Amino acid sequence: MTCIAGVVAKGRVCLGGDSAGAAGVQLVLRRDEKVFRTGPFVMGFTSSYRMGQVLRYAFSPPAPPTQDGALMRYMATAFVDTLREALKTAGWARVESGQELGGVFLVGVHARLFRVEGDFHVGEPRDAFDAVGSGADLARGALFATHAMAPNARVRLALRAAERGNTDVRGPFRLVST
């Protein structure tokens, strides 16, 4: 289920997400958004609506640094450490084979886009775009091919491409930006 797409352009991050809640052959269009703003961050999640609720309502990351070169270190340490505690407190984090696991989501802050993976490692795409979820490949292809378009238009088109080619992605689409 899901497609979350993000673009970095003109000093901001634009994220968009679909509205599908899918499980097997069941599909429900949900009112609660998969993309949202919280403080200086924009976030878009896949994996679990519960994880998304924790990110949106119970996770309070420390303020991100403003000095050059410190943001990736912050994301990989202070941000993730606080996230892990919030997920544990909410009863959502799980342990498999001795490894703590979470879910997948995109984070935009200070004109940079990051992907947090299920093992809590943080990545930053070399390209100024990324996508996660079952429609991610279709969305990334659309983002690659539309580099000359405005950021919001690129994200919307990427989500439409994912909806067209993936049974678990459905509008309406919601966009947020830093």
Side-chain angles (χ1 to χ4, degrees), residues 92-116:
W92 196 83
R94 61 196 186 283
V95 176
E96 291 178 15
S97 301
Q99 182 181 14
E100 189 177 24
L101 299 172
V104 179
F105 61 99
L106 295 180
V107 181
V109 63
H110 295 330
R112 289 175 64 186
L113 180 63
F114 299 93
R115 179 197 299 219
V116 179

Side-chain angles (χ1 to χ4, degrees), residues 73-153:
R73 180 184 181 103
Y74 159 84
M75 290 298 296
T77 57
F79 183 92
V80 165
D81 291 345
T82 306
L83 169 65
R84 289 173 55 222
E85 285 304 313
L87 292 173
K88 276 189 248 181
T89 298
W92 196 83
R94 61 196 186 283
V95 176
E96 291 178 15
S97 301
Q99 182 181 14
E100 189 177 24
L101 299 172
V104 179
F105 61 99
L106 295 180
V107 181
V109 63
H110 295 330
R112 289 175 64 186
L113 180 63
F114 299 93
R115 179 197 299 219
V116 179
E117 295 286 352
D119 66 354
F120 297 106
H121 88 264
V122 178
E124 184 174 14
R126 185 174 296 270
D127 295 315
F129 62 84
D130 202 357
V132 294
S134 60
D137 288 344
L138 292 159
R140 276 194 298 271
L143 292 169
F144 175 81
T146 58
H147 60 86
M149 292 173 63
N152 286 4

